[in-house]
Amino acid sequence: MFDLADIATLPRPDRARPRPSLGLIGCGAFGAFILPHLERTFDVLVHDPARDAADLPGTTAGLAGVGKQEIVVLAVPLAQMRAVATAIAPHLRPGTLVVDVCSVKVAPLAVLEEVLPPHVDILGTHPLFGPQSGKNGIAGLRIALCPGRDRARARLAKRFLQRAFGLEVVVTTPEEHDRQMAYVQGLTHIISRIVLAMDVPPLELRTTTFDHLTRMVDTVRHDSEALFRTIARDNPFAAEVRERFAEATGEVLERLRPT
């Protein structure tokens, strides 16, 4: 069985031991973004069920070939998670580590726990960065880690992510992750989408506070609609946050009515 302890120290090019293999399923905006980072440590095979292999970067393979790798990373939308997990389940070898990178954690981990065979390990992760926030490098950025079936392996994964990529790893439960992300991502994405919908014109007179708002909006400007729905709708705690936001917005606007 492949063990993360084999690569828990920072990889060096002069090491003679073979590089571990990794299958990346899903090569959209985030999958394509993390591919170069993964290729520094792993021999990566790429597959995307929604794209032609000729259009994909890196070394490609069919779903069966990708599923046979030592680590399999699922970088697919939540709506596709069950179908992809069901498709790869027969190809996963004993001891395979299956990692998801969804922006929510309760729903995808429940699907993987239900669908994947008991002889594989599951690890929930959520990189708290993306192509925009990580464009200048990912060292020092945060990633949430939700241990799955093997907590010892999760501890090794934490050590590896810290040493190999310089990430700040926050270990949490799927429920606590989603509870906090309902505010951290759900609220900020809703506000950003509202500002985008206003189609604010270019402004010469700007304050520092407005620049902060602009940077927040620009960070999510190119996110897909599927990602927005996952963050702001599919998080089990998002509805409560939306209701509180709408209520607070109504109260603030009420104070502006003429007396």
Side-chain angles (χ1 to χ4, degrees):
M1 182 181 75
F2 168 70
D3 198 326
L4 277 169
D6 293 337
I7 51 172
T9 55
L10 187 64
R12 297 203 321 259
D14 58 342
R15 287 191 173 163
R17 67 189 181 196
R19 284 156 55 95
S21 64
L22 182 146
L24 175 62
I25 301 179
C27 201
F30 188 77
F33 166 69
I34 63 171
L35 178 58
H37 297 284
L38 296 173
E39 288 178 328
R40 296 173 188 168
T41 303
F42 302 97
D43 289 329
V44 183
L45 291 180
V46 181
H47 177 82
D48 192 315
R51 297 176 61 185
D52 188 277
D55 297 330
L56 296 175
T59 303
T60 62
L63 190 65
V66 172
K68 287 183 170 62
Q69 304 312 303
E70 296 165 312
I71 300 176
V72 177
V73 176
L74 305 180
V76 298
L78 177 60
Q80 299 177 17
M81 185 65 68
R82 180 174 294 276
V84 170
T86 301
I88 67 168
H91 308 293
L92 299 173
R93 300 183 297 177
T96 298
L97 179 63
V98 179
V99 182
D100 96 285
V101 295
C102 271
S103 297
V104 293
K105 292 272 70 78
V106 171
L109 290 179
V111 168
L112 296 182
E113 185 67 37
E114 175 190 346
V115 173
L116 297 185
H119 61 250
V120 306
D121 293 330
I122 299 169
L123 186 66
T125 72
H126 177 198
L128 302 177
F129 53 85
Q132 292 299 315
S133 53
K135 62 185 178 181
N136 296 320
I138 64 174
L141 300 180
R142 290 181 177 177
I143 183 171
L145 189 152
C146 299
R149 294 170 175 172
D150 188 338
R151 300 190 70 86
R153 213 169 188 196
R155 288 193 293 271
L156 291 172
K158 175 182 178 181
R159 182 183 172 194
F160 168 70
L161 292 169
Q162 290 171 327
R163 294 194 174 189
F165 300 121
L167 295 172
E168 179 182 344
V169 182
V170 181
V171 179
T172 185
T173 65
E175 292 77 12
E176 183 58 26
H177 169 276
D178 286 3
R179 191 185 306 277
Q180 293 192 30
M181 285 300 108
Y183 287 97
V184 173
Q185 284 194 308
L187 187 58
T188 55
H189 276 66
I190 288 173
I191 293 173
S192 297
R193 289 285 175 142
I194 291 172
V195 173
L196 282 171
M198 291 175 63
D199 195 21
V200 179
L203 303 172
E204 182 180 359
L205 301 176
R206 305 165 64 93
T207 64
T208 302
T209 303
F210 186 80
D211 285 339
H212 290 324
L213 176 64
T214 301
R215 282 194 294 272
M216 182 181 76
V217 173
D218 287 343
T219 299
V220 304
R221 180 183 298 272
H222 302 294
D223 287 349
S224 68
E225 189 65 20
L227 176 60
F228 174 61
R229 289 195 298 269
T230 297
I231 289 171
R233 182 194 66 188
D234 297 334
N235 185 317
F237 303 98
E240 177 184 353
V241 171
R242 291 198 308 270
E243 291 172 4
R244 294 185 64 183
F245 175 70
E247 180 181 349
T249 300
E251 291 174 357
V252 171
L253 294 179
E254 183 64 30
R255 287 155 50 189
L256 299 179
R257 292 182 181 276
T259 58

